[in-house]
Amino acid sequence: MNFTSRFFRFGAVCALLTALTTLVVHVMPNLWSDAMSFEQQVELRLNPLYLTNRWVVLLHCALVVVSMFALGLPAMRRAPATVIFGFLAFAGFGFTETLRTAISIFAINRNWRAVYASSVDPATRERFRAFIESYSGTNDALFFIFYTAFTVGLICYGIAFLRTNGRMSQLGILFMVWALLNLPGWIDAVIGTELLGRYFEWVGPVFQPVTRAWIGVWLWRNAGWAAASVAQSGCAPLRRVEKLNG
């Protein structure tokens, strides 16, 4: 497949858009942070801003996967196994978070919360309340999977970029720092208690948008180099075959 500079600029646009979607995902929930009781949370199914946030998460996942695919291609020649494993980790993140969000939209809000709110039968309301409250454990499990997958992807890409030339070495450092900043939240997810993550809550609404915007700008500026690098890595095996046949 021929990846032109236009493809990498498309990946850059996706990365820039993730800076905006990250802000929506992390900052917008403050608008309904006062919905603490069960009944208040049930009413969120009617909140257009809340539902918009859910759909933006789905868009965010798709944009992240596309941008990370484009970003990893230039490093394939130097670190193919690391890049492939890293992209699979990012794809796993995208799938898991898409699944988690889709359950929130279609099962939790459109079905369970709606039935609970509209039912007059106490037994039915109690049953659906149990459904909603029991999903918390499943949600935590999916969160752990997507958080782990994303952190693994950061580490793999960080290693791969550090092994590439100077154009990508700065990205490698950035990704390793990002992975380190993710560790406190990951540890909290493992132990099931908010211990260290509270001191790194700024990573989502501050560090991530700035970092994603910087990645988008970098990819846009280096789109021509990235296309040439991928083309060169793709042609190298063909040259070796032609030499052997000659």
Side-chain angles (χ1 to χ4, degrees), residues 35-187:
M36 303 297 293
S37 70
F38 179 82
E39 298 295 336
Q40 288 175 321
Q41 292 174 359
V42 167
E43 292 305 309
L44 287 176
R45 79 191 192 283
L46 303 175
N47 187 326
L49 293 177
Y50 169 81
L51 296 176
T52 298
N53 177 269
R54 300 290 82 200
W55 286 102
V56 170
V57 172
L58 296 181
L59 174 63
H60 176 76
C61 292
L63 293 172
V64 167
V65 172
V66 173
S67 62
M68 290 302 169
F69 177 74
L71 191 64
L73 283 176
M76 278 288 291
R77 186 169 53 139
R78 292 290 184 90
T82 311
V83 171
I84 291 172
F85 193 80
F87 176 71
L88 290 176
F90 285 125
F93 147 80
F95 172 79
T96 306
E97 181 64 347
T98 298
L99 175 63
R100 190 171 78 114
T101 306
I103 292 174
S104 172
I105 295 172
F106 297 101
I108 300 294
N109 289 286
R110 289 191 183 179
N111 193 311
W112 299 349
R113 285 177 174 173
V115 172
Y116 173 86
S118 62
S119 178
V120 295
D121 178 38
T124 300
R125 287 171 62 86
E126 190 63 30
R127 183 167 66 254
F128 276 88
R129 175 166 184 154
F131 288 163
I132 297 168
E133 292 180 335
S134 64
Y135 176 69
S136 175
T138 303
N139 184 67
D140 290 345
L142 292 174
F143 176 83
F144 170 76
I145 293 172
F146 102 73
Y147 203 88
T148 300
F150 191 80
T151 304
V152 169
L154 290 174
I155 294 172
C156 289
Y157 268 32
I159 294 173
F161 296 160
L162 288 172
R163 294 179 60 184
T164 314
N165 67 11
R167 287 178 182 264
M168 303 199 78
S169 59
Q170 291 181 340
L171 284 176
I173 296 172
L174 180 65
F175 272 62
M176 296 304 288
V177 170
W178 194 348
L180 288 174
L181 292 175
N182 272 8
L183 285 180
W186 183 82
I187 293 172

Side-chain angles (χ1 to χ4, degrees), residues 7-21 59-60 62-68 70 212-213 215-216 219-220:
F7 170 78
F8 289 99
R9 288 195 176 95
F10 173 73
V13 172
C14 289
L16 289 169
L17 289 175
T18 63
L20 297 177
T21 55
L59 174 63
H60 176 76
L63 293 172
V64 167
V65 172
V66 173
S67 62
M68 290 302 169
R212 294 184 188 279
I215 290 171
L219 193 53
W220 181 275

